[in-house]
Amino acid sequence: MPDRGGGGGPTGPRMRVGRPSRRARTLLMTLGVLAVLAMAFVMFAGFWTDWLWYRSVQYSSVFTTTLWTKIGLFLVFGLLMAFAVGLNIWLAHRLRPPLSAMSLEQQSLDRYRMGLAPYKKWVLLAITALVGLIAGASASGQWRTWLMWVNGVSFGQKDPQFQLDVSFYAFDLPWYRFLLAFGFAAAVLSLIAAALTHYLYGGLRVTSPGARATAAATGHLSVLLGVFVSLKAVAYWLDRYGLAVKSSDFKAAGNWTGLRYVDANAYLPAKTILFCIAVICAVLFFATLWRRTWQLPVIGFGLMVLSAILIGGLYPAIVQKFQVQPNEQAKEAPYIQKNIDATRKAYAIDSTNPENYSGKSTVKNKEQLRANSDTAASYRLIDPNIVSPTFQQLEQKRKYYQFPTTLDVDRYKGQDTVVGLRELNIKGIPKRNWINDHFTYTHGYGAIMARGTQTDANGSPVFTEAGLPTTGQLGPYQQRVYYGEKTDQYSIVGGPQKELDYEENGEKTTSYQGKSGVNLSNTFNRAAYAVAFSEPQILYSGAIGDGSRILYNRTPKERVEAVAPWLTIDGDAYPAVVDGKIQWIVDAYTTTNGYPYASRTTLGDTTADSLTVGNQQRAVVAQQNQVNYIRNSVKATVDAYDGTVTLYQWDKADPVLKTWMKAFPDTVQPREAIKDSLMQHLRYPQDMFKVQRELLTRYHVQDPAQFYSGSDAWQVPDDPTNKDGNAVPPYYLSMKMPGDARQQFSLTTTFTPNGRPNLGAFMAVEADATSKDYGRIRLLRVTSEVPGPEQVQNKLNSLPSVATFVRDMKGADSDIQYGNLLTVPLDGGFLYVEPVYAQGRNAHYPLLKKVAVSYVDADQPDGDTTKDTTVFEDNLTLALNAVFGVEGVTPPQPEQPGTTPPTTNDAALKQAIADAQKAYDEGEAALKKGDWTAYGKSQEALQDALQRAADAGAKLKSDQKPADQKPAGNTPKPGATPSTSASPPSG
């Protein structure tokens, strides 16, 4: 039967699909709106949490200044690019011919024109919006360049070629180059957009008969080409100044910056000629508006391209080949001198001049050498690069605490001290869950300290601050460590959930009382952090309530870099206990790569050594890796308890810092705001020192001819105590340089001649910020053949006593670790001191077992024990005695007939020795009792007595009549010397 159902199919009635019901439409619209709002909130959460964080650290002005600068650049340059491209598209469309030629080409284009016609405005808006967004985003990344240009201050120094202030190259030229690059991009995009529009609407033809372009299209495109060539003319002119900061390879200097002979005599005039040609060519393009022909502009453009090849490329090559190479040293000498002067000034080494150091001992009396070795340095036997496992084993106390891999060296009560903070180790938490990870285990506890110059009878460090909570020489201080180098997870504190803590009687709970962190009391903030941290429990967890605060960005480097994004951060932040608080001290640098004639260096490579490779904790945080100017302009502190970040102006003369202080006012405190208690712990930064020592391998030479030949080039030796082939790290050490009256806290390193293992030079900088000579670099050029660190290490390894020790230790299933090989100038020669550690299989930490000492003196005859003697003894006292061939210091001798009777100096020497012995004995007694106050006083008295003894001994020697009479000395009391310690007092 026929279907009568009206619309049914052969198998049944047809299904009719109607519009969704109002309820369904409302639901869909609601879901759509919620999805949009959710996406918007996700994007907003990052911005909002950043704002809350900056406000919590009281650096909101940094956030707002940076934000508004980025927004301003985005809008201005985004709109400019959109306007330029949109205007040229609109103009090309307006200048379209009224009728298109009848051709296959135009018929094909008609379909596109007809399809595009209803959407022309939308297409125009889409194109302009796209290019505007891209240009704006690119421009916003130039916020540093803009702020430096608009706030730049004068260097007060002019470059030797153009006589322009250095600020032009550091602050102005980068901004002009950005504007030029933006102009090129706008011109090229406008040209492409206009050409496509003209082609689409018939103004340009490829295969159609007749003229290839209408007069209107010709004029329009000619103007755009004229703008492009005009910008090229500006580029040629700026390139003239760019030669002063141009990098190139130069065999005499490696990475060379600045003009050379060929630049000044070929490239510079070539750029000027090309500038003139480009201006003429641009005028010819603009003249097309009236001539309506491209013949002359095309000829001019071809001439410009040909000139660029011949004048800008071929001519300089001819000058280099036939004028420079036959007599390169003489031709380049003036420019090498400019590079030397600029480089030394840019890296603050211009006042460093090598002092000749013979390597030949000026003291021939062994007893006197032995006595002088006691006051030459505080020999650090506790190597902070090795003893971290010892700190971990003896002072970790709980598995969820840890110490950094490399500890720090500081000064307390005038003594070099090895310091490590007991920080939180989240991997050691007994039961891992979200509450334990982020609420219960929130902070480390205490600063652990040990004398750098002494161990106990077992070879363990002698702790001056230890325990949980710690006790010792510091007295009471805030021991909780909420911010540290190892603390990289967020914690939520101060709310209903209590934190694990300690007191004298053991574990307890606490609640954070500091003011840092962001308040999570309101739902909106919790939701924002739940999104930002991808942790929904933050939104609904009952462990968060009134008073809850979230702590994050908790490493000192992160915090300083965040509040001062214009600084480069030193790789080694170190802790100090100041005024009852643990403060992280962070050195920060201002840098630029725009200092004319100064050679560039790569911070990441220059600051690498055997301790930084693979150790992100000690890697430099660089905003600008390639630099040719650096200053340690800022000292920053980060409170380990409340996270407070304080920036102090350190270098008052630095124009780069002054520029940033104008851009970010009130963020940097004046140098006068640094308290004396903090000043005592400030020191010369390692990364700055490493950059300077790398430059001084070449730039200690100031004669252009010698610099060119490279005959006196040095190198930083490889660390002989490990086999990774990386540079030896610099060492902090209290020591006396030649001519100094007393020890100074210094940062030291050695050099070897390029390609040779012997000692070439010794470098030390006054590292104590309280010293009037802070930052003074002393460079001792060794003028005799003296063994270098690698040779000393090789000789040590070849000693039979070392072989026996290693065999015995290996037989006992122990590993051998060589500590820092310290180099100390001593009376014209050099004293090397190296602690040697052993770690048994069942012992989880190394112990000091031996001390190696070598004294090298290039002036002694072969066979003399003081020429190059290396000894391997149980402790430093025995090693020093052995290396100088004495059994201790000789006691005072009775007066002999014919000699000069005792003098005032003789009495002063005896009294000083007696005082030193008394102070030493009192210190040992205080050490056994754990009386740190008395111990500190005894050490101060000991240092004073040793200094008086050295002064009196020197005067006594000059008073003695017989030339061969030996100075008086003193034998320490039996049992006075610890098993492995710094040497006891002596005359």
Side-chain angles (χ1 to χ4, degrees), residues 644-667:
T644 300
V645 182
T646 308
L647 308 176
Y648 296 103
Q649 180 184 16
W650 186 248
D651 190 336
K652 294 183 177 181
D654 179 28
V656 181
L657 178 60
K658 292 178 181 178
T659 296
W660 287 118
M661 289 176 68
K662 282 181 63 179
F664 296 95
D666 302 324
T667 58

Side-chain angles (χ1 to χ4, degrees), residues 387-396 403 407 418 448 450 461 463:
V387 299
S388 179
T390 307
F391 273 52
Q392 190 83 359
Q393 182 68 22
L394 300 178
E395 289 297 329
Q396 180 190 22
F403 291 93
L407 304 177
V418 178
I448 306 302
F463 292 104

Side-chain angles (χ1 to χ4, degrees), residues 425-453:
N425 177 17
I426 196 170
K427 296 179 181 178
I429 295 176
K431 184 177 181 180
R432 297 290 303 277
N433 55 56
W434 188 66
I435 293 295
N436 279 346
D437 287 358
H438 300 288
F439 291 82
T440 305
Y441 297 89
T442 59
H443 58 277
Y445 212 98
I448 306 302
M449 301 183 182
R451 285 197 66 197
T453 58

Side-chain angles (χ1 to χ4, degrees), residues 587-660:
D587 284 287
Y589 311 104
T590 47
T591 62
T592 179
N593 62 3
Y595 197 101
Y597 272 103
S599 289
R600 290 185 172 90
T601 187
T602 303
L603 288 182
D605 296 337
T606 308
T607 58
D609 58 34
S610 61
L611 300 183
T612 63
V613 176
N615 186 357
Q616 287 301 314
Q617 175 189 326
R618 290 192 170 242
V620 65
V621 181
Q623 290 292 350
Q624 186 172 274
N625 208 27
Q626 274 271 335
V627 305
N628 67 352
Y629 171 93
I630 184 170
R631 289 292 185 274
N632 176 213
S633 53
V634 171
K635 301 282 190 181
T637 62
V638 178
D639 192 294
Y641 180 72
D642 62 23
T644 300
V645 182
T646 308
L647 308 176
Y648 296 103
Q649 180 184 16
W650 186 248
D651 190 336
K652 294 183 177 181
D654 179 28
V656 181
L657 178 60
K658 292 178 181 178
T659 296
W660 287 118

Side-chain angles (χ1 to χ4, degrees), residues 862-875:
D862 290 338
D864 192 288
T865 57
T866 58
K867 180 176 182 181
D868 181 4
T869 304
T870 302
V871 299
F872 191 64
E873 300 291 343
D874 291 337
N875 59 58

Side-chain angles (χ1 to χ4, degrees), residues 245-281:
V245 290
K246 183 194 72 171
S247 289
S248 59
D249 291 328
F250 185 28
K251 65 180 181 181
N255 184 12
W256 173 274
T257 299
L259 285 84
R260 292 159 53 191
Y261 180 90
V262 69
D263 297 312
N265 295 277
Y267 280 111
L268 187 57
K271 297 292 184 182
T272 305
I273 295 171
L274 290 171
F275 164 76
C276 297
I277 294 174
V279 170
I280 296 171
C281 186

Side-chain angles (χ1 to χ4, degrees), residues 497-514:
Q497 184 69 37
K498 298 300 181 181
E499 310 162 46
L500 183 67
D501 201 58
Y502 292 92
E503 59 183 7
E504 293 182 1
N505 297 325
E507 293 185 5
K508 67 170 186 175
T509 59
T510 190
S511 186
Y512 182 66
Q513 301 298 316

Side-chain angles (χ1 to χ4, degrees), residues 30 91 108 161 260 293 343 363 404 412 422 581 626 767 883:
T30 302
L91 190 58
S108 299
Q161 181 67 41
R260 292 159 53 191
T293 175
T343 301
V363 177
Y412 288 87
R422 188 190 283 122
K581 297 179 179 179
Q626 274 271 335
V883 81

